[in-house]
């Protein structure tokens, strides 16, 4: 039954399958199981149920992207408090201080670490009731082969020693269950059933009010201990119910259960003998960060009255129906291709059907309804027939053939060996050989156009890579049953599986792709030795490495499709970003510790597989294919956790903190500037910075030396000069610090700080200018405090936070500046964009004010002259503030967004910004009226002093005929007419009159001073006559 919506197609599969097979079937149909919590799946499933009334429950998929994804090794270990029962004393025990009721069902789980040197019969736990001592007991003994055999005692009835685990000194999870109703009991070791039975002595419950003892057998109620245990025990839990195997597997992986316990492991509820000590146990817990998936598989049970779906959990081995969801476009395209194959079969399919008729037709295996479970023999037979058909068919594959083969590989990858068949290593290797041969033919670069034809159904060749990963990982134990090394090599694929026992000196072997002519380096990948040794330190005994190399995937990706991933493409303007392409072979590694997938850091080197066209350059980026990134489309490239270690012309070395399929993505840039232009621009930048630095230094000296009147404006100018000057000095010296990693980091941080301070003070310049243009009700003192916070405080905060967040990614690799290959550059670019935006608004406001003033002046002119002056005044009113304020407010940096357009813009950008200090010198010093007036006053004072030093005074008494008061009525301050406006007020106690005497030599003056004395005005005349006259 199929239900269509505008975007999706829902296919009901009424045949009941286990969850793994249901998931595999949907994947083989290029669709997915309906998913928990997805609105489209909820609505589509509900409508399909209304139409067909199919049986519930059905399988659904958990949406967690972490499901089935290997975790990092460090995240899979948890520390438990454990009890140590020493061999030196056989009196050790621990009592559980809990009252137990009568039990008709019971489950007890415990983690045991048996002492390898102890070979006596031991009691792990014993439960004794007041009326019967041997009510419930678990005991163990060592057999001749070195295994620990376990036996259960119920109501005094001793079950056989059958379940076992190796006497290897490792932790093992042991669970026992019992149910009175049918007398069924079972012993589970590490999540797997080791022994079971039923039908014996089911007449009563286990008595209540008993005593549970760890490490000893109770020959009497709570005493007479015998058969001591030697080793460590932890994580004891008791339930008054019979747990299912899926729940016991979840417990083994440390996944908590929702069922209520009679007793949960708690050291505070235990009473131990003094010889029993508390120790720490580090346990392997792969489910500690994803507990739900270990409790079984998700099911849809039905709907509530408000049409809300009701979900639950079930054992993944149950047989249930299910629904596959696919996009409407994909489903219709796949149906179209199948119709073509049905009515016009290709020569390949004709030949394949002839070869495969001995077993089962291909159309049955790949149909819309699942057939019987494909066995290893059937999968190997189909793959072998496909291999032969590929070799015999000369016409090439059609799009429908490609689709069928990709589907066959997906189904064969999920084929599991039957537990009772005991398939040999030879049959496993034969299946894998056929599998790789068919996969090689599918991803051959001759099929590039066929991949484009089926891209609406199959996302791309990485679907084949995923099938290979699943096949090899699932068959690794059978493949390596009798060997430590397996190599399968075809023209486009090289697969190598290596296995070794771990010890403290173990190292990871290096896997390399095939030798290629005219290439000195090869594509290689390896796991660092310290990571391999950490597996041994954490208790793993066996390492399996699955490595694969794919040499033909690059041509199969659409060359016209740009690969968009989350990494920056910032350049200095010498190059223009064109796009990103796949530029290498694909190499992968999978690490299995004791057959458990473990994720750890790897290091790999890949060769660049593209040719540089004239005028383009490539920048390699380390990436991997993330199948969970966009599951509907089969995944996409990601760079998370990967970084470039070193770059060469023809290869790149990368490091990633996880295992998967890796490749190099090449960012393609069009070269905008020649090497000669680059060198000249560097020289021009150095010269410009030097000139700017001198200009800033002279400006600051003038501000301090000539006595410019203090104001908020001059204070802001001085701070901007200091910040920009130090920044440009550091920029000129940064190359000399690049040799030392520590010194380069310090220089980078200082450059970041002082350039940020420069832009912050440019922002203050804009705010100050705004306060002069627009009325702002704020005092000057409060305003300056705010300016200092913005000018210096804000840069310190930005730089400090950036360093704290990512110190290791702060600096670029080859020079002393922020890293432009990640988001660090935005710690500078972001604030700069904000400053420039604010200052652009300020500049527009200033231009509006000046234009308004020019218009008012034009209206005051006479009619005849107004028309002539109006245009000139308006033009100058716009041009003058723009020319003056552009460099001061930093708006010339806006040219930076245009440098990639042409080399001319690069020269304009450098001239405008490298010489910014020179512009500031001209605006703040050369054409500043305050500075020029201060310099003029200094010159006049020096002239006056030089005149005084070469003159001799002659004193005169005032005339008695002329009243002294008449002198004081028309006196002016001793100043030249040019500076009279800026001179200070006359003294209240002394007044002087300077008269130029033509009888004296040039620049000779006579000074008349009036001083009050005894209430009368006294005039003292002093004449300065040049000596020698």
């Amino acid at each position: 039954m199929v239900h269509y919506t505008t975007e999706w197609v829902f296919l009901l599969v009424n045949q009941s399958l286990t969850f793994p097979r249901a998931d595999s079937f949907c994947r083989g149909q290029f669709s997915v199981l309906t998913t928990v919590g997805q609105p489209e799946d909820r609505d589509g499933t509900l409508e399909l149920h209304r139409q067909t009334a199919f049986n519930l429950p059905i399988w659904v998929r958990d949406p967690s992207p972490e499901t089935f994804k290997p975790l990092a090794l460090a995240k899979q270990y948890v520390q438990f408090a454990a009890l140590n029962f020493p061999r030196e004393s056989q009196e050790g025990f621990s009592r559980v201080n809990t009252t137990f009721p009568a039990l008709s069902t019971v489950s007890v789980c415990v983690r045991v670490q048996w002492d390898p040197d102890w070979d006596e019969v031991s009691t792990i736990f014993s439960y004794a009731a007041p009326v019967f001592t041997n009510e419930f007991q678990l005991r163990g003994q060592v057999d001749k082969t070195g295994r620990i055999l376990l036996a259960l005692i119920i109501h005094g009835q001793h079950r056989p020693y059958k379940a076992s685990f190796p006497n290897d000194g490792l932790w093992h999870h042991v669970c026992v269950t019992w149910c009175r109703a049918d007398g069924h009991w079972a012993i589970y070791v590490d999540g797997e059933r080791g022994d079971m039975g039923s039908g014996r002595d089911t007449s009563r419950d286990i008595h209540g009010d008993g005593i549970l003892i760890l490490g000893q057998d109770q020959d009497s109620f709570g005493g007479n201990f015998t058969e001591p245990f030697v080793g460590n025990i932890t994580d004891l839990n008791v339930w008054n119910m019979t747990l299912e195997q899926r729940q016991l597997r979840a417990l083994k992986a440390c996944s908590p259960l929702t069922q209520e316990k009679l007793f949960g492991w708690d050291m505070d509820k235990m009473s131990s003998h003094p010889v029993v000590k508390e120790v720490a146990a580090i346990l392997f817990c792969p489910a500690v960060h994803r507990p739900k998936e270990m409790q079984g598989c998700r099911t849809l049970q039905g709907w509530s009255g408000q049409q809300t779906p009701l979900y639950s959990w079930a054992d993944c081995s149950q047989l249930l129906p299910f629904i596959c969801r696919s996009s409407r476009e994909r489903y219709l395209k796949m149906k179209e291709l199948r119709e073509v194959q049905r009515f016009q079969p290709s020569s390949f399919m004709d030949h394949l059907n002839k070869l495969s008729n001995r077993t089962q037709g291909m159309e049955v295996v790949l149909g819309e309804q699942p057939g019987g479970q494909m066995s290893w023999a059937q999968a190997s037979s189909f793959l072998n027939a496909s291999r032969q058909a590929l070799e015999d068919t000369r016409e090439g594959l059609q799009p429908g053939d490609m689709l069928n083969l990709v589907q066959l590989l997906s189904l064969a990858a999920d084929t599991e060996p039957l537990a009772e068949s005991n398939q040999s290593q030879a049959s496993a290797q034969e299946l894998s050989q056929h599998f790789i041969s068919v996969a090689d033919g599918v991803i051959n670069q001759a099929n590039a156009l066929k991949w484009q034809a089926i891209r609406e159904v199959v996302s791309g060749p990485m679907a084949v890579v995923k099938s290979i990963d699943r096949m090899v990982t699932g068959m690794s134990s059978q493949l390596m049953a009798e060997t430590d090394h397996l190599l399968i090599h075809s023209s486009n694929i090289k697969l190598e599986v290596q296995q070794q026992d771990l010890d403290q000196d173990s190292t990871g072997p290096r896997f390399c792709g095939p030798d290629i002519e005219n290439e000195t380096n090869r594509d290689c990948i390896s796991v660092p030795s310290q990571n391999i040794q950490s597996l041994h330190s954490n208790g793993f005994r066996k390492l399996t490495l699955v490595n694969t190399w794919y040499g033909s995937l690059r041509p199969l990706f659409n060359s016209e499709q740009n690969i968009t991933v989350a990494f920056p493409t910032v350049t200095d303007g010498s190059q223009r970003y064109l796009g990103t392409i796949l530029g290498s072979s694909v190499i992968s590694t999978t690490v299995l510790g004791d057959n458990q997938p473990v994720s750890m850091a790897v290091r790999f080197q890949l060769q660049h597989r593209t040719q540089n066209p004239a005028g383009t350059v490539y920048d390699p980026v380390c990436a991997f294919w993330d199948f969970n990134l966009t599951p509907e489309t089969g995944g996409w490239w990601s760079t998370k956790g990967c970084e470039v270690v070193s770059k060469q012309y023809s290869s790149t070395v990368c490091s990633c903190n996880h295992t998967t399929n890796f490749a190099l993505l090449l960012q393609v840039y069009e070269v905008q500037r020649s090497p000669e232009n680059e060198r000249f621009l560097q020289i021009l930048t150095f010269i410009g910075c030097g000139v700017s630095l001198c200009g800033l230094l002279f400006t600051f000296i003038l501000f301090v030396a000539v006595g410019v009147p203090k104001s908020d404006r001059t204070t802001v100018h001085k701070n901007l000069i200091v910040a920009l000057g130090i920044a440009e000095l550091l920029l000129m010296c940064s190359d000399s610090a690049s040799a030392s990693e520590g010194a380069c980091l310090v220089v980078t941080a200082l450059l970041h700080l002082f350039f940020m301070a420069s832009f912050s003070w440019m922002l203050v310049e804009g705010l100050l200018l705004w306060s002069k243009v627009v009325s702002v009700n704020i005092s000057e003192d409060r305003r300056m405090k705010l300016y200092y916070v913005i000018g210096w405080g804000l840069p310190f905060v930005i730089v400090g936070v950036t360093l704290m967040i990512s110190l290791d990614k702060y600096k670029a690799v080859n020079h002393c500046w922020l890293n432009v290959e990640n988001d660090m550059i935005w710690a500078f670019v972001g604030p700069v964009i904000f400053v420039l935006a604010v200052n652009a608004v300020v500049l527009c406001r200033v231009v509006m004010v000046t234009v308004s003033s020019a218009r008012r002046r034009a209206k005051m002119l006479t009619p005849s002259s107004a028309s002539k002056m109006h245009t000139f005044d308006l033009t100058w009113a716009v041009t003058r503030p723009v020319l003056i304020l552009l460099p001061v407010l930093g708006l010339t940096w806006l040219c930076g967004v245009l440098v990639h357009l042409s080399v001319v813009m690069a020269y304009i950008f450098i001239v405008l910004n490298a010489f910014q200090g020179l512009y500031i010198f001209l605006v703040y010093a050369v054409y500043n009226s305050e500075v020029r007036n201060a310099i003029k006053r200094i010159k006049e004072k020096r002239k006056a002093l030089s005149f005084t030093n070469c003159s001799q005074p002659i004193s005169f008494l005032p005339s008695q005929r002329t009243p002294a008061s008449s002198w004081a009525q028309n006196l002016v301050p001793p100043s030249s007419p040019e500076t009279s406006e800026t001179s200070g007020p006359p003294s209240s106690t002394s007044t002087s009159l300077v008269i130029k005497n033509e009888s004296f030599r040039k620049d000779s003056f006579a000074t008349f001073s009036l001083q009050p004395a005894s209430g009368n005005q006294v005039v003292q005349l002093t004449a300065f006559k040049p000596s020698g006259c």
Side-chain angles (χ1 to χ4, degrees):
M1 178 64 187
V2 179
H3 171 60
Y4 291 86
T5 68
T6 56
E7 296 183 13
W8 307 101
V9 174
F10 295 87
L11 173 66
L12 172 64
V13 182
N14 258 325
Q15 182 175 344
S16 297
L17 300 177
T18 64
F19 180 85
R21 287 199 60 208
D23 185 60
S24 172
F25 175 80
C26 289
R27 189 166 49 243
Q29 297 295 318
F30 308 105
S31 58
V32 294
L33 277 173
T34 51
T35 305
V36 175
Q38 296 292 334
E40 61 272 15
D41 287 353
R42 178 194 62 207
D43 298 340
T45 302
L46 180 59
E47 182 62 30
L48 198 56
H49 185 263
R50 287 172 179 167
Q51 296 177 12
T52 62
F54 57 80
N55 295 326
L56 293 170
I58 62 171
W59 292 121
V60 291
R61 188 172 62 95
D62 195 295
S64 173
E66 296 299 323
T67 304
F68 312 119
K69 185 177 181 180
L71 288 173
L73 185 63
K75 293 184 178 181
Q76 301 185 61
Y77 285 87
V78 177
Q79 180 172 310
F80 283 73
L83 296 176
N84 173 253
F85 298 83
R87 188 173 16 160
E88 293 76 15
S89 174
Q90 299 185 8
E91 300 178 357
F93 72 92
S94 184
R95 174 174 175 171
V96 176
N97 298 323
T98 297
T99 301
F100 293 96
L103 300 173
S104 60
T105 58
V106 66
S107 296
V108 181
C109 292
V110 64
R111 297 181 190 270
V112 178
Q113 188 179 39
W114 193 285
D115 188 335
D117 298 326
W118 183 254
D119 56 3
E120 301 293 332
V121 175
S122 301
T123 301
I124 298 173
F125 68 80
S126 64
Y127 177 80
V131 297
F132 198 85
T133 55
N134 292 326
E135 274 288 81
F136 200 65
Q137 184 180 132
L138 179 66
R139 59 198 313 177
Q141 67 177 13
V142 182
D143 70 353
K144 295 180 181 180
T145 63
R147 296 186 65 83
I148 309 298
L149 303 179
L150 301 175
L152 188 63
I153 297 177
I154 306 172
H155 299 328
Q157 300 294 322
H158 199 300
R159 272 59 179 176
Y161 286 102
K162 186 176 179 182
S164 66
F165 59 83
N167 187 16
D168 50 12
L170 302 180
W171 285 98
H172 294 277
H173 188 254
V174 180
C175 291
V176 295
T177 64
W178 174 78
C179 178
R180 173 190 169 182
D182 55 5
H184 186 273
W185 60 270
I187 302 177
Y188 295 86
V189 178
D190 293 329
E192 302 300 327
R193 188 168 56 210
D195 194 12
M196 60 176 291
S198 62
R200 299 182 60 183
D201 191 15
T202 62
S203 59
R204 65 177 178 85
D205 295 343
I206 294 176
H207 291 300
D209 299 323
I211 297 175
L212 180 59
I213 297 292
L214 294 182
Q216 294 281 3
D217 177 22
Q218 306 174 61
D219 279 351
S220 63
F221 183 60
N224 269 347
F225 296 140
T226 60
E227 298 178 351
F229 169 80
V230 176
N232 298 320
I233 291 178
T234 187
D235 198 23
L236 173 72
N237 297 279
V238 183
W239 294 265
N240 60 344
M241 62 178 297
T242 302
L243 297 179
E244 301 175 5
Q245 184 172 7
R246 65 180 178 87
Q247 296 169 316
L248 300 177
R249 288 172 176 169
L251 286 171
K252 188 256 180 183
C254 305
S255 176
L257 300 184
T258 58
Q259 288 77 9
E260 185 177 357
K261 304 174 185 176
L262 287 176
F263 173 77
W265 183 247
D266 188 348
M267 300 294 287
D268 295 333
K269 296 180 180 180
M270 310 281 293
S271 299
S272 302
H273 190 278
V275 300
V276 178
K277 304 297 182 183
E278 181 178 343
V279 295
I282 307 298
L283 301 180
F284 181 62
C285 295
V288 67
H289 289 282
R290 50 187 189 193
K292 291 184 178 180
E293 69 183 72
M294 305 302 295
Q295 297 183 16
C297 299
R298 301 298 296 271
T299 60
L300 173 65
Q301 299 291 329
W303 289 269
S304 67
Q306 290 78 26
Q307 304 301 326
T308 302
L310 302 175
Y311 299 107
S312 184
W313 298 89
D315 193 315
C316 298
S317 61
Q318 289 189 22
L319 300 177
L320 297 176
F322 55 95
I323 296 176
C324 299
R325 172 175 58 83
S326 176
S327 69
R328 186 184 181 100
E329 180 184 14
R330 175 174 295 177
Y331 181 82
L332 294 178
K333 182 65 176 179
M334 183 171 62
K335 192 173 182 180
E336 175 190 342
L337 292 174
R338 282 178 173 165
E339 289 294 326
V340 172
Q341 283 283 7
R342 183 178 297 113
F343 295 107
Q344 296 178 357
S346 64
S347 58
F348 168 80
M349 286 303 299
D350 281 338
H351 192 46
L352 177 60
N353 287 327
K354 292 177 182 178
L355 293 172
S356 60
N357 275 340
R358 294 187 299 268
T359 56
Q360 187 180 17
M362 181 71 75
E363 65 279 357
V364 177
V365 176
L366 306 180
E368 288 191 2
Q369 294 295 326
Q373 182 174 4
M374 186 186 297
S375 65
W376 267 23
Q378 288 176 315
S380 182
S381 175
F382 275 120
L383 291 170
N384 186 37
S386 300
R387 178 189 61 80
Q388 294 180 29
L390 282 170
E391 293 176 354
D392 297 341
T393 303
R394 302 302 178 187
E395 291 82 358
L397 296 176
Q398 298 302 313
D401 303 333
M402 296 281 294
L403 191 66
N404 288 334
L405 289 175
V406 173
Q407 191 175 0
L408 175 63
L409 291 172
S410 179
L411 292 175
D414 295 325
T415 303
E416 296 182 0
L418 300 178
E420 62 273 10
S421 63
N422 190 25
Q423 275 115 346
S424 66
Q425 179 195 22
S427 60
Q429 291 188 0
E430 180 184 23
L431 190 153
S432 59
Q433 288 276 6
H434 297 333
F435 194 103
I436 296 299
S437 297
V438 174
D440 183 273
V442 173
I443 65 172
N444 192 297
Q445 60 183 354
N447 296 322
L449 295 178
K450 310 300 190 306
W451 278 105
Q452 298 302 318
I454 64 172
R455 63 181 178 181
E456 297 176 13
V457 180
V458 185
S459 56
M462 295 305 292
V464 177
V465 172
K466 187 175 183 179
S467 296
I468 294 175
D469 290 344
R470 294 204 316 274
M471 183 272 296
V472 180
T473 303
M475 295 175 54
S476 61
S477 57
Q478 288 79 19
L479 288 171
M480 309 307 292
E482 301 173 9
T483 184
D484 291 333
H485 183 264
L486 172 67
L487 177 63
I488 302 176
H489 195 184
S490 63
S491 58
N492 299 306
I493 302 173
K494 180 180 180 181
L495 170 67
E496 185 175 45
V497 185
Q498 301 175 79
Q499 185 172 278
Q500 64 183 33
D501 295 328
L502 291 172
D503 56 44
Q504 60 183 4
D505 298 322
S506 296
T507 59
R510 190 167 183 252
F511 169 76
C512 293
D515 291 321
I516 300 178
E517 294 183 8
N518 302 323
E519 286 192 4
T520 57
N521 296 321
R522 299 163 67 189
D523 299 324
C524 296
I525 191 170
S526 63
V527 179
S529 298
Q530 60 268 26
N531 295 342
I532 300 296
Q533 293 162 9
S534 69
L535 285 173
H536 176 263
S537 303
N538 287 308
F540 287 93
R541 294 304 179 92
K542 183 175 64 176
L543 169 70
T544 304
L545 287 175
V546 180
N547 298 301
T548 320
W549 173 88
Y550 305 93
S552 61
L553 293 182
R554 187 183 60 80
L556 304 183
F557 283 87
N558 187 0
S559 59
E560 298 179 357
Q561 182 181 14
N562 179 42
I563 299 176
T564 56
V565 289
F567 50 73
T569 56
V570 179
T571 73
D572 59 356
S574 62
Q575 303 163 353
R576 183 168 66 90
Y577 175 70
L578 298 179
T580 302
I581 61 172
L582 176 62
S584 71
S585 302
V586 175
I587 198 167
S588 71
T589 188
T590 301
V591 180
L592 303 175
D594 294 339
N595 295 324
Q596 295 280 347
V598 179
S599 182
M600 56 177 50
V602 297
R603 188 184 181 100
F604 58 92
Q605 173 180 298
L606 292 174
Q607 307 302 307
H608 304 166
R609 301 294 179 189
T610 57
Q611 300 296 326
N612 286 31
T616 61
V617 294
Y618 294 130
D619 185 24
V621 177
C622 303
F624 68 97
W625 187 269
D626 188 350
F627 290 102
N628 295 313
L629 197 58
T630 53
E632 293 293 337
T633 59
W636 196 245
W637 295 106
S638 174
T639 60
K640 186 177 181 181
C642 295
E643 60 182 6
V644 174
V645 177
S646 63
K647 302 177 185 178
Q648 298 178 4
Y649 177 75
S650 60
S651 64
T652 298
V653 178
C654 300
S655 175
C656 293
N657 60 6
H658 53 272
T659 53
T660 185
N661 301 282
F662 303 100
L664 291 179
L665 302 182
L666 299 182
Q667 292 179 323
V668 186
Y669 294 91
E670 181 182 4
V671 177
Q672 298 288 296
R673 300 194 290 262
S674 65
E676 293 76 13
N677 279 323
E678 283 292 316
R679 286 194 297 270
F680 190 77
L681 287 171
Q682 290 177 357
I683 295 173
L684 184 61
T685 300
F686 191 85
I687 295 174
C689 288
V691 173
S692 288
L693 192 60
C694 294
L696 293 171
L697 181 62
F698 290 153
T699 306
F700 188 81
I701 292 174
L702 285 175
F703 270 54
V704 174
V706 304
V708 176
K710 291 184 178 179
S711 66
D712 55 354
R713 184 173 56 186
T714 57
T715 303
V716 171
H717 293 345
K718 290 178 183 177
N719 282 277
L720 172 59
I721 290 168
V722 170
L724 189 58
I726 296 177
E728 294 197 350
L729 179 62
L730 288 169
L731 182 62
M732 295 175 66
C733 302
S734 60
D735 286 344
S736 59
S738 58
S740 172
E741 189 71 18
C744 192
L745 178 62
V746 172
V747 170
T748 300
L750 292 176
L751 275 171
H752 188 191
L753 174 64
F754 283 102
F755 268 115
M756 278 307 311
S758 301
F759 278 96
S760 297
W761 283 107
M762 291 178 197
L763 174 62
V764 172
E765 290 275 7
L767 296 177
L768 179 62
L769 191 59
W770 182 270
S771 68
K772 303 298 183 182
V773 174
V774 182
S775 178
V776 178
N777 187 18
I778 183 171
S779 65
E780 183 172 329
D781 291 338
R782 291 174 57 193
R783 190 166 58 210
M784 282 309 303
K785 291 179 181 178
L786 176 63
Y787 290 165
Y788 275 111
V789 170
I790 296 174
W792 292 112
L794 192 60
F796 271 101
V797 170
I798 293 174
V799 175
V801 170
T802 306
L803 286 171
M804 286 189 294
I805 291 176
S806 53
L807 179 62
D808 54 335
K809 300 178 182 178
Y810 183 73
K811 186 186 73 65
V813 177
N814 299 320
H815 56 278
C816 302
W817 182 235
L818 297 178
N819 194 344
V820 299
E821 296 182 359
N822 52 39
D823 294 334
M824 286 300 99
I825 190 62
W826 288 102
F828 175 74
V829 174
V832 167
I833 292 175
F834 174 75
V835 170
L836 297 182
V838 173
N839 284 352
V841 173
V842 172
L843 180 61
C844 292
R845 179 60 176 166
V846 171
V847 170
M848 291 171 61
V849 171
T850 55
V851 169
S852 178
S853 300
R855 285 176 176 174
R856 287 196 299 269
R857 286 196 306 271
K859 291 180 180 180
M860 296 172 62
L861 296 174
T862 62
S864 59
S865 58
S867 59
K868 299 178 180 179
M869 297 295 296
H870 184 64
T871 303
F872 174 79
D873 284 349
L874 290 180
T875 305
W876 181 240
V878 174
T879 307
R880 185 173 183 273
V882 170
L883 292 176
I884 294 175
L885 296 178
L886 270 178
V888 175
L889 298 180
L891 296 177
T892 52
W893 282 73
L894 290 173
C895 297
V897 300
L898 304 175
V899 295
H900 66 280
L901 297 179
S902 69
V903 69
V904 176
M905 292 305 303
Y907 281 101
I908 294 175
F909 175 76
I910 289 179
V911 169
L912 290 177
N913 294 285
F915 291 90
Q916 188 176 7
L918 178 61
Y919 299 151
I920 290 176
F921 172 70
L922 296 175
V923 174
Y924 287 170
V926 177
Y927 296 106
N928 189 335
S929 59
E930 291 182 342
V931 175
R932 296 169 68 182
N933 290 338
I935 294 174
K936 187 179 293 184
R937 287 196 300 271
I938 292 174
K939 290 181 178 179
E940 291 170 353
K941 287 180 182 178
R942 287 182 178 176
K943 291 178 180 179
L945 288 175
S946 64
F947 177 76
T948 303
N949 292 335
C950 69
S951 305
Q952 297 177 356
I954 302 175
S955 297
F956 298 91
L957 291 175
S959 170
Q960 299 297 327
R961 293 190 299 267
T962 307
S965 60
S966 64
W967 288 90
Q969 295 175 357
N970 299 309
L971 294 177
V972 295
S975 174
S976 65
E978 292 81 2
T979 60
S980 60
E981 294 181 0
T982 58
S983 301
S987 174
S988 60
T989 58
S990 175
T991 305
S992 300
L993 177 64
V994 179
I995 302 175
K996 189 171 183 179
N997 194 331
E998 297 297 337
S999 63
F1000 290 156
R1001 295 175 57 189
K1002 186 178 181 181
D1003 294 335
S1004 298
F1005 298 89
T1007 302
F1008 301 85
S1009 299
L1010 284 72
Q1011 297 179 346
S1014 302
N1016 297 321
Q1017 288 279 3
V1018 178
V1019 179
Q1020 181 179 356
L1021 302 177
T1022 305
F1024 294 91
K1025 183 171 67 173
S1027 59
C1029 297

